[in-house]
């Protein structure tokens, strides 16, 4: 294979590929055979009612949750497992952690260290996990704080910041590890309505820069405007998928129509 052909193949390969992914907690089956692909540079939105499996699937992508069956890969590599012959072997925790560095995740709740300034929260992982020098991490950390519009709040503690500001710091913290993929688990659901826009603006900027993003969200306007693909999940299965405009304006499945009638 020529270098050009290989580069083309690499760019065409999905960033995330799920094949028959199942996840159970005891007798409760949360994911019932999820099949989907997320292309590189795509903003992929997951919508659906609470308890449909969206957040669980997101956590499976970076092996915060272990799948029970199926295959899940990120950038061509299996998540949490190594394949040898026709068998899968679970990776050691250290190996999982090394791969997890390439995946940024932003949760509903900000989970910032309360005893650290905003900037120190951002640089903690690059220094402790990647072994970056503190000076280099601080320089890039300040660039990220500026990127999320908070350069003037770098020395503030989380308690001195609004919810929207804390969430933007959490996004900067995830970006500090220079991930190839960003996961957002309802990043605006814990915010007061007037603070939602400032977080979505940062996410729009990331989309414009070509960051691959999977977003679990109830913000249908964001999904329609920024999303490249949308999946509606319910009861652990993919009910409907397509372009956000198509799914949101002309859903084909009755269950999708019923859900959207309540949220749009």
């Amino acid at each position: 294979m020529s270098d050009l052909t290989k580069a083309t193949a690499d760019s065409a390969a999905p960033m995330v590929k799920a094949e028959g992914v199942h996840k159970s907690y005891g007798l409760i089956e949360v994911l019932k055979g999820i099949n989907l692909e997320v292309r590189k540079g795509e903003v992929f939105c997951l919508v659906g009612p609470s308890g449909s499996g969206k957040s669980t699937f997101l956590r499976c992508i970076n092996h915060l949750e272990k799948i029970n069956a199926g295959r899940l890969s990120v950038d061509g590599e299996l998540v949490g497992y190594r394949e040898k012959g026709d068998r899968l072997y679970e990776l050691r925790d250290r190996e999982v952690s090394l791969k997890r560095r390439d995946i940024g995740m932003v949760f509903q709740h900000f989970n910032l260290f309360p005893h650290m300034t905003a900037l120190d929260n951002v640089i903690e992982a690059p220094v402790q996990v990647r072994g970056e020098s503190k000076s280099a991490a601080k320089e890039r950390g300040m660039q990220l704080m500026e990127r999320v519009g908070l350069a003037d709040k770098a020395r503030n503690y989380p308690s001195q910041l609004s919810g929207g500001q804390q969430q933007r710091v959490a996004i900067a913290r995830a970006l500090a590890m220079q991930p190839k993929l960003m996961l957002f688990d309802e990043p605006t659901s814990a915010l007061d309505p007037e603070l939602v826009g400032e977080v979505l603006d940062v996410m729009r900027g990331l989309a414009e820069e070509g960051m691959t993003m999977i977003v679990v969200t109830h913000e249908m306007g964001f999904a329609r405007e920024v999303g490249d693909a949308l999946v509606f999940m319910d009861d652990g299965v993919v009910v409907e998928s397509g372009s956000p405009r198509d799914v949101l304006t002309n859903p084909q499945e009755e269950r999708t129509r019923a859900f959207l009638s309540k949220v749009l």
Side-chain angles (χ1 to χ4, degrees):
M1 183 183 290
S2 70
D3 290 344
L4 180 59
T5 304
K6 184 177 186 301
T8 302
D10 287 346
S11 64
M15 177 61 79
V16 177
K17 185 173 184 177
E19 303 170 90
V21 170
H22 289 256
K23 173 64 183 176
S24 298
Y25 298 102
L27 297 176
I28 301 173
E29 194 174 18
V30 181
L31 300 177
K32 303 174 182 178
I34 301 296
N35 295 290
L36 56 80
E37 290 188 4
V38 180
R39 297 193 304 270
K40 293 176 182 176
E42 189 170 54
V43 178
F44 192 97
C45 296
L46 287 172
V47 304
S50 296
S52 59
K54 309 181 303 296
S55 295
T56 298
F57 178 69
L58 214 61
R59 292 171 66 85
C60 289
I61 292 173
N62 63 359
H63 209 58
L64 288 174
E65 300 285 355
K66 299 177 183 179
I67 65 176
N68 299 112
R71 297 165 65 89
L72 186 55
S73 60
V74 173
D75 203 16
E77 295 188 9
L78 286 171
V79 173
Y81 297 89
R82 178 189 297 109
E83 189 169 28
K84 191 172 183 180
D86 59 353
R87 297 192 63 183
L88 297 181
Y89 297 88
E90 190 167 359
L91 298 178
R92 297 184 180 91
D93 288 346
R94 177 174 172 76
E95 294 173 293
V96 172
S97 296
L98 286 172
K99 292 181 179 295
R100 195 179 284 143
R101 297 188 311 183
D102 293 329
I103 304 172
M105 188 160 184
V106 178
F107 300 89
Q108 293 180 36
H109 301 287
F110 329 121
N111 300 325
L112 300 178
F113 294 117
H115 64 289
M116 292 183 177
T117 65
L119 179 60
D120 285 341
N121 267 280
V122 171
I123 71 172
E124 176 73 2
V127 171
Q128 298 299 329
V129 179
R130 286 194 180 274
E132 290 185 21
S133 71
K134 202 160 187 178
S135 59
K138 275 191 172 180
E139 182 177 351
R140 196 155 50 79
M142 280 305 300
Q143 292 172 355
L144 289 169
M145 290 293 288
E146 186 171 350
R147 186 174 176 183
V148 299
L150 291 173
D152 61 329
K153 303 292 185 182
R155 290 172 177 78
N156 287 40
Y157 289 88
S159 62
Q160 299 170 313
L161 302 174
S162 71
Q165 290 170 336
Q166 289 187 63
Q167 192 63 295
R168 284 188 279 159
V169 173
I171 293 173
R173 178 180 59 183
L175 293 173
M177 291 295 283
Q178 303 177 69
K180 63 177 72 170
L181 169 66
M182 284 285 286
L183 309 177
F184 292 88
D185 188 6
E186 299 189 23
T188 60
S189 65
L191 301 179
D192 292 333
E194 66 268 24
L195 302 177
V196 169
E198 62 191 51
V199 173
L200 295 181
D201 284 344
V202 172
M203 294 170 65
R204 283 188 188 92
L206 291 177
E208 290 167 2
E209 294 167 14
M211 173 65 74
T212 309
M213 301 160 58
I214 304 179
V215 185
V216 173
T217 185
H218 293 296
E219 301 291 339
M220 299 302 166
F222 174 85
R224 183 187 293 110
E225 177 191 347
V226 182
D228 298 299
L230 183 143
V231 158
F232 170 66
M233 286 180 63
D234 188 32
D235 195 28
V237 300
V238 172
V239 175
E240 189 165 348
S241 63
S243 77
R245 289 180 184 274
D246 288 346
V247 175
L248 294 176
T249 59
N250 188 28
Q252 300 301 302
E253 301 293 331
E254 178 55 38
R255 182 66 189 93
T256 314
R257 288 195 289 270
F259 172 75
L260 292 177
S261 70
K262 296 174 183 176
V263 299
L264 289 179

